[in-house]
Amino acid sequence: MVFILAAAAVIGAGIIRSSYVTEVGVAREQPVPFSHKRHVSGLGLDCRYCHTSVEESSFAGLPPTHTCMTCHSQIWVDSPMLAPVRESYRTNRSLEWIRVNDIADFAYFDHSIHVKKGIGCVTCHGQVDDMPLMWRAHSLYMEWCLECHRHPERYVRPREEVFNMHWQPPAGDQLALGRQLVKAYNIRSLTSCSTCHR
Amino acid sequence: MKRDTPKRASLDLAALRARLASTRGQQYWRSLEELAETEELQELLQREFPRQAAVLNAVSRRRFLHLLGASLALAGLNACTSKPTEKIVPYVRAPEEIIPGKPLFFATAVVRNGMALGVLVESHMGRPIKVEGNPQHPASLGATDVFAQASVLTLYDPDRSQVVTHLGQISTWNTFLSAIQTRLALQRITKGAGLRILTETVTSPTLAAQLHALLEGFPAAKWHQYDAVGRDHARAGAVLAFGEHVDARYDFRRAEVILSLDADFLSALPGSVRYAREFAARRRVQPDQATMNRLYVVESSPSLTGSVADHRLPLRPSEIEALAWMVAHKVGIVPGEFPGGQSLAQHARWIEAVVRDLQQHSGSSLVLVGDGQLPVVHAIGHALNTALGNVGSTVVYTAPVEARPVDHAASLRDLVVDMEAGRVEILVVLGGNPAYTAPADLEFVEHLSKVKLRIHWGLYYDETAALCHWHLPATHPFESWGDARTYDGTATILQPLIAPLYDGRSAHEVLAALLGQPGRSSYDIVRDYWKTWYQGGDFESFWQTALHDGVVAGTTFVPRSVSLRPDWARRQERNQGADVKHQPRQPTPPPLTLIFRPDPTVWDGSFANNGWLQELPKPLTQLTWDNAALLSPATAERLGLANEEVIELRVRERTVRAPVWILPGHAENAVTVSLGYGRTRAGRVGNGVGFNAYSLRLAETPWYVEGLEIRKTGQTYRLACTQNHHSLEGRPLVLSATLTEYQEHPDFVHEFIHVPAPQMTLYPPYTYEGYAWGMVIDINACIGCGVCVVACQAENNIPIVGKDQILVGREMHWLRVDRYYQGDLDNPTTYHQPIPCMHCENAPCEVVCPVAATTHSDEGLNDMVYNRCVGTRYCANNCPYKVRRFNFLQYADLQTPSVKLLYNPDVTVRTRGVMEKCTYCVQRINAARIQAKLEERKIGDGEVMTACQQACPTQAIVFGDLNDPMSRVSQGKADPRHYPLLAELNTRPRTTYLARVRNPNPAIAEGETE
């Protein structure tokens, strides 16, 4: 009886961490099949060109239709894939994107402080410049957040490299650099509940 | 009305008095029932959540176990489904200044009875959600009152009218315009002889300009004004004294001795928020400082001002008038005989001591008279201030702030006379609800039906709208452009925070339609007015500065010199309401006076549909969701009345039924009823709540009337009062001393409070390397207004629960303001004590949570994690301060679309089954900490203000970093008056208090009113 319960618990824990539940690697269907690979890797756009408030606010920001139209009023103007964008521009109705990197409503995440303290975009969002469609790279579960909050030296990088898609720690030694940066950036790695739950 | 068959037993007041007389030392008691230690109360006190109403249908035990097993089996499965899909919807074109996730603040004003209170409104992504005071506005200085805080709920009220209606059917603005144009064209022939406009007090320069333009276009038309809670007597008093309309403006910074004759200057005057700040500043004490102001209050119904008085004398309103004459006589400004002197002979020595005190502080004293007193008493007040040399120092006189001062009662009477005679063809009601608030004997409703075209403009389809042909939905002040003046004349330009939610129009747009300019927007109308006013060169930068600051520079009224008329003391109509022809039925009992007061939370009824204000416990009675007939213990004893007993009040053949509530400190032989209840068309929140006191209010006697008769009905009515809930069993919680005692022993609190030494414990001590948050609340400054409670409710998405739930003790306010009495039953000293979460260092709640949903943060806060809470309620059980609130039912409204706009996105909206409590506004702390880190600096003192701290007019609440020795909160903790609550329990609370210091006159013995 005990073995059955134990087995059920282990299987349950596995299921919760599987991509069926966490949606890691699952590309959701969007109104427009926007390709980060094309725009970031191909064209070299910085993250902040579209996600404008990532250094100032809790919310990184999603580009308004006008941002898309800065280029697409001149490039690919007849592409059927971009029809919803042109429609949005014409009718003044927003595009409705499906949220991929999402956490529960009772947890509050702030982008600006993480960017300030030297956490790179790819650390949490994965290799976005290789994604032809957007998917979630990590589970974004609390246990995953705590992994970094408890050991920030494993993940922190210099501030200048936060938006660098292909940064590697010099000489491969993340921990040595990480410990230095934790001191330099005064990273206190808060683990109080009210840091995120309010 | 729910009726309970068993009647509550009357309290034996004689026995109570005997018990009180035999006590020594500081004896505090919360309410009469507590003092009486009734069986009912003992039972109530044993249980934390008194009447655990069975809200689920009864289930058999077998079935319950079945359900339990099934739930357990299914419990883990909801994690197996994928999460609900959320969408991100960006702009099509992003506005320049909005950063998603960061709020913007806009300066505007909240207007009540014409008077503005400058506010800053917090706007998230274009939605206004919270009102804060505007530190640059003279009437606010950063603080607000309860009505300003609750105004944002009115904006999102689902019961607001949304469409133009014609004869009850949905119509359009354009249809209205065409209908009105033909009628107005007809009126032009007679120069507008049949046109009448009815407004409340107008201070808006733009609106006044439009009205004057209308009257120029229609010279025979008339503009009437009527405020249910009006200042007619103050206006008439000024005319009586000075021969002209002037407004009095007080400066409490210079007042050392204040005599208030029924004047609730801390909450009921237009400048009250500022007066409270100035008054409290003069009550702050240091051990080496000798001066503190002194307040004498003579009043009928207990008010906030009376509750902080050093000496208080309860008298009936006509007796207050007699006392005013007596004071004037003793000061030497009126000769010889005056009415009513004999009845006050017993108070002669008290009055003499007061007069001496006033005279010794010539030039730094102040005499105020309340709006409920007759004009001649106001004239006495002006004469006293003149004789005492206070004019120019503690009181100055300015031109009237309102655009056209008239006697409102006379104005309404003229309108009714015209309506009765059939002379009114078009009536435009531009604000106010006269069908509900007009004096009962004017028969406004009956004569209204004789008007051929009735147009109502207002926020709600209320009692007046239901009787009018056209109803035009109004825009809320947060939705439209406008302007208004405040108590000192300073103008504020009101700017909208959001486009009108419905098909509303502003008053400016309605008047523009009447003026034949239907297309003009409020923006253009207001701008055009100020373009004509501004004489300088660069209008744009003047406009932007005025909008940014929330004040128009250079509009404050300058004091003008006035002189007292030599014949001001001629006798006015005295004893208003004591009709000698009307003999009471039983000549032997003393006559009863009925007193009308605006309700402390619902005011004149215009806030009746505001759930926050209905549920806010009224400062002194702690009643919610109802009004009552308030009377003193002695009067109740004499008439044989008990709490919640329904009586019939009769004035001149008009009757209304009301439940009784005994209020210690009320004047003898008088009954107070508050206005604003008993509405029939307020909305889903306000309909049918309470009884309508306006039905007894007569045109000649708007504030008090003699000859009240009371008849018992034998019925009872449950009143939802919060004062007996969470009782703390008579422990010394509010400490106070007189100024002399304080100066001799500045640390007198140590006699009562014993903080245990740090003890051995298994738990490691907390270390705070960064910030350590703490709070100090100064009982000496708190006036009990309750704005902190509403501010907390607005900031933290706290739901309202309704009367039935309050009756079982389930109010959800995170912060409560307790009210304690001390001393004589008939005239006790009152104390107010706000109680938020103590955020204890040794929190009893943290150690008992089975799922660790409440933990200690590394900055000293006691965190509450809603998603982890399973609802055992052990934490609330263990909390000795009873500051935790449990969502027994789904109180938070997750359905109504407009209410969902109101929620603060930075705070979780809680569902059923989770515990919640004050968090020290952790969302504000987090935001400030992140901002400081982004800017690589520390959080400054005063940068983080909790919602309660920011709203408080007297700055009684101080919050800050205890690790910073220079912060205000650290200084508060070092103050000798500082003490924690229930220290002997070793909870080590971070929220602590400063004891009250009273400044009684040595010539008047403690509690003596003779």
Side-chain angles (χ1 to χ4, degrees), chain B residues 136-298:
Chain B
Q136 290 185 284
H137 193 268
S140 161
L141 300 178
T144 46
D145 59 20
V146 295
F147 306 107
Q149 286 292 333
S151 57
V152 70
L153 180 62
T154 305
L155 169 65
Y156 294 112
D157 191 344
D159 293 326
R160 267 179 67 192
S161 63
Q162 305 181 3
V163 283
V164 176
T165 54
H166 175 58
L167 299 174
Q169 305 294 320
I170 296 177
S171 181
T172 67
W173 178 249
N174 287 330
T175 319
F176 165 73
L177 286 178
S178 19
I180 192 74
Q181 292 314 325
T182 33
R183 299 293 198 111
L184 284 176
L186 282 172
Q187 283 298 314
R188 263 188 206 96
I189 300 170
T190 59
K191 294 198 191 309
L195 175 62
R196 303 284 183 275
I197 317 278
L198 176 63
T199 67
E200 294 184 301
T201 306
V202 173
T203 61
S204 159
T206 306
L207 198 70
Q210 283 185 294
L211 285 163
H212 287 134
L214 189 71
L215 293 174
E216 270 171 36
F218 296 94
K222 294 206 190 113
W223 168 24
H224 298 275
Q225 296 178 62
Y226 184 71
D227 263 319
V229 177
R231 310 200 64 213
D232 280 344
H233 290 171
R235 267 188 288 267
V239 172
L240 191 55
F242 302 115
E244 51 176 339
H245 282 289
V246 286
D247 275 355
R249 188 162 92 212
Y250 306 110
D251 188 349
F252 286 88
R253 292 170 297 184
R254 305 194 196 185
E256 309 258 349
V257 175
I258 304 157
L259 171 63
S260 158
L261 299 171
D262 216 9
D264 187 10
F265 62 86
L266 291 176
S267 72
L269 289 186
S272 279
V273 173
R274 188 197 174 108
Y275 294 154
R277 169 81 60 104
E278 292 178 344
F279 175 78
R282 292 289 294 116
R283 284 190 90 75
R284 295 221 143 74
V285 286
Q286 300 295 326
D288 51 353
Q289 159 207 333
T291 60
M292 189 176 144
N293 64 10
R294 180 175 291 144
L295 174 61
Y296 301 96
V297 173
V298 183

Side-chain angles (χ1 to χ4, degrees), chain A residues 34-51 63 67-72 75 121 128-129 163-166:
Chain A
F34 178 78
S35 166
H36 277 92
K37 184 167 177 174
R38 170 67 66 92
H39 290 79
V40 180
S41 199
L43 299 173
L45 287 180
D46 186 271
C47 312
R48 288 163 287 181
Y49 186 79
C50 294
H51 302 288
T67 302
C68 309
M69 293 307 284
T70 47
C71 292
H72 288 293
I75 310 168
C121 304
V128 172
D129 63 332
F163 301 101
N164 182 348
M165 292 285 123
H166 300 284

Side-chain angles (χ1 to χ4, degrees), chain A residues 65-79:
Chain A
T65 310
H66 273 235
T67 302
C68 309
M69 293 307 284
T70 47
C71 292
H72 288 293
S73 50
Q74 299 169 60
I75 310 168
W76 296 109
V77 292
D78 291 321
S79 162

